[in-house]
Amino acid sequence: MESASQHSAACPQRIETGEITKSPFAQIVIELTQAEYIQLKWDANYWKGQYHQVKQKNEDLKLELES
């Protein structure tokens, strides 16, 4: 297991570029297949839907509790 000092040394620091400070991860380019991209978008929409359903159910239960 890495110690904290080893871990922090391996992680690049934030890059100062004039007024804008960018995360080093903004510099990394990754490639996805179209199938991976579609799956990620589908998963995001699914979990957003789940969140909205739970949020609505929570609001309904609060109203029921108040009455």
Side-chain angles (χ1 to χ4, degrees):
M1 181 176 272
E2 293 182 13
S3 70
S5 62
Q6 289 174 330
H7 182 67
S8 64
C11 294
Q13 299 300 315
R14 294 177 70 87
I15 300 166
E16 299 290 334
T17 55
E19 294 180 18
I20 302 171
T21 302
K22 292 185 178 182
S23 166
F25 302 109
Q27 306 295 319
I28 298 172
V29 176
I30 63 168
E31 292 183 13
L32 296 173
T33 65
Q34 187 171 3
E36 291 170 326
Y37 175 77
I38 291 169
Q39 184 65 48
L40 288 171
K41 294 295 279 184
W42 187 89
D43 290 344
N45 288 329
Y46 172 80
W47 290 112
K48 284 179 186 178
Q50 292 295 308
Y51 167 76
H52 289 297
Q53 285 181 4
V54 169
K55 185 176 176 183
Q56 184 63 48
K57 186 173 183 178
N58 190 25
E59 290 173 7
D60 294 345
L61 289 171
K62 283 181 182 179
L63 290 174
E64 183 181 330
L65 185 61
E66 289 174 2
S67 62

